[in-house]
Amino acid sequence: ADHSTASSDLPLQVNYSIYSPVQGWSGTAADNQALQAPYGSWVAAMRANLINIPADAQVGIRYQVNLSGTGWLDPAEDGAEAGNASAEAPLEAICMELYGASAASYDLYYKVYQNGTWTDWALNGAVAGTEGAGLRIDGIRAAITAKDAGAPQAAMNAVDPSRPMIALTFDDGPQPSVGNRIMDCLAQYGGKATFFMVGERVGSYKTEVQRMVAEGHEVANHTMNHKYLQKLGAAQIQAQVNNGNDAIQAACGVRPTLLRLPGGNHNAAVLANAGMPMIQWNVDTLDWKTRNADKTVAAVLNHVKDGDIILMHELYGATGDAVARIVPELHKRGFQMVTVSQMAAAKGRSLEAGKLYSSFH
Ligand code: NI
């Protein structure tokens, strides 16, 4: 392993990716982010490496997998593949450990998604997952903490309820040319967004949708075909919602818990049949109409306050330009950029199916 160049004040972290027969290699998950194979698929191979290695530290990561039908394979290290991507048999169990003179300064925690649930954390070389029982691994999560600091919290980037926060939301995607720019920018400033996606689009852009999950953004439903639901009957409303959830889950392994209505349009039948919390907005940038970055920037920065839900659209280059200016300024003003679900939780609001929410003031 090359330990000579990386140097950072950031804490040592593990990054990782998984191979599933349906999707191939996933995007890279950041430390403590859950990474799952698409619904119905499984993990056939994995890779892991360390980032933010202190300049004076000697540390690497080694991991070993139990492959269905084969048993424990030889260990792999520092980004090498463990498993067998070409054979596509599932992993049944894994173990991971840090090595090198500095390894004793850290704890490495990891867990697997197996048989419909996440296992407890395994620590420093212990086995995670059950081998020899016909169970396959469908997801992996790993995190590094300082030695004896205790198990990682439920999610990194925890929201501070005492500080102001806003939810940036992007509709009508996925659209990689804009969405990836948005995520690049948010990654720089530690922000998260909510992407309300059209189900019929996600199959074409799975890599982008998987990146959203890997980087902690919220994947959410904007119906299967962007139909105005107030014009539909009960069964069609339900189908638009359920098919949208199915499509997103198939692409990234995560089933959305939030719905945004196309146009925000609703009537009694929509409220009765949506079956999910419906997220409206209180700051409308009209970015789809103006396609003008200056106007979109002004619409956000001239009005923004704690608890806002801001509506933008992922389809337009001008929106990507605007985000590149909005995010640094919001960061400078002290706003936390959080997902809709994070904001609701931080404000102590429960989200109920059949109800509309337009802000969390
Ligand atoms: Ni829309």
Side-chain angles (χ1 to χ4, degrees), residues 171-172 196 198 222 226 228 260-264 311 313:
D171 287 10
D172 297 352
F196 289 96
V198 177
H222 196 36
H226 207 273
Y228 288 154
R260 174 161 283 157
L261 304 168
L311 173 62
H313 294 80

Side-chain angles (χ1 to χ4, degrees), residues 227-233 236-237 265 267 270:
K227 299 273 194 214
Y228 288 154
L229 298 188
Q230 85 280 12
K231 298 179 175 177
L232 305 182
Q236 291 172 299
I237 293 168
N265 299 332
N267 59 13
V270 172

Side-chain angles (χ1 to χ4, degrees), residues 28-256:
T28 301
D31 192 288
N32 203 16
Q33 297 287 350
L35 195 53
Q36 283 181 258
Y39 184 67
S41 190
W42 57 87
V43 179
M46 63 167 289
R47 303 189 283 226
N49 64 282
L50 302 180
I51 63 168
N52 307 332
I53 298 172
D56 57 351
Q58 291 291 317
V59 62
I61 187 167
R62 177 185 295 141
Y63 39 98
Q64 202 172 357
V65 302
N66 186 293
L67 188 64
S68 186
T70 305
W72 288 100
L73 305 185
D74 290 338
E77 290 179 1
D78 300 314
E81 175 184 327
N84 191 338
S86 56
E88 304 195 337
L91 306 186
E92 295 190 0
I94 65 169
C95 54
M96 305 172 74
E97 62 182 353
L98 301 175
Y99 69 88
S102 305
S105 301
Y106 305 97
D107 283 323
L108 173 62
Y109 286 87
Y110 45 96
K111 56 172 64 185
V112 298
Y113 192 76
Q114 192 169 50
N115 208 26
T117 188
W118 287 99
T119 63
D120 292 334
W121 290 114
L123 178 62
N124 298 337
V127 173
T130 302
E131 60 191 276
L135 300 177
R136 66 189 201 203
I137 290 177
D138 295 339
I140 288 174
R141 183 170 153 195
I144 291 173
T145 60
K147 190 71 185 175
D148 297 329
Q153 295 304 303
M156 292 291 284
N157 309 305
V159 178
D160 180 350
S162 70
R163 288 175 47 217
M165 66 191 78
I166 52 97
L168 299 174
T169 69
F170 298 94
D171 287 10
D172 297 352
Q175 176 66 41
S177 59
V178 179
N180 283 314
R181 286 181 65 200
I182 292 168
M183 286 190 275
D184 289 347
C185 184
L186 288 167
Q188 234 184 310
Y189 293 90
K192 307 297 175 198
T194 305
F195 293 90
F196 289 96
M197 293 179 285
V198 177
E200 67 182 3
R201 296 178 61 88
V202 300
S204 303
Y205 305 116
K206 289 174 184 168
T207 304
E208 186 201 345
V209 180
Q210 290 164 14
R211 180 183 175 187
M212 292 172 186
V213 173
E215 298 189 1
H217 303 293
E218 183 158 21
V219 293
N221 185 350
H222 196 36
T223 75
M224 187 63 184
N225 306 108
H226 207 273
K227 299 273 194 214
Y228 288 154
L229 298 188
Q230 85 280 12
K231 298 179 175 177
L232 305 182
Q236 291 172 299
I237 293 168
Q238 292 168 17
Q240 279 295 316
V241 174
N242 292 333
N243 293 347
N245 285 335
D246 289 346
I248 292 168
Q249 185 171 10
C252 68
V254 175
R255 193 167 186 84

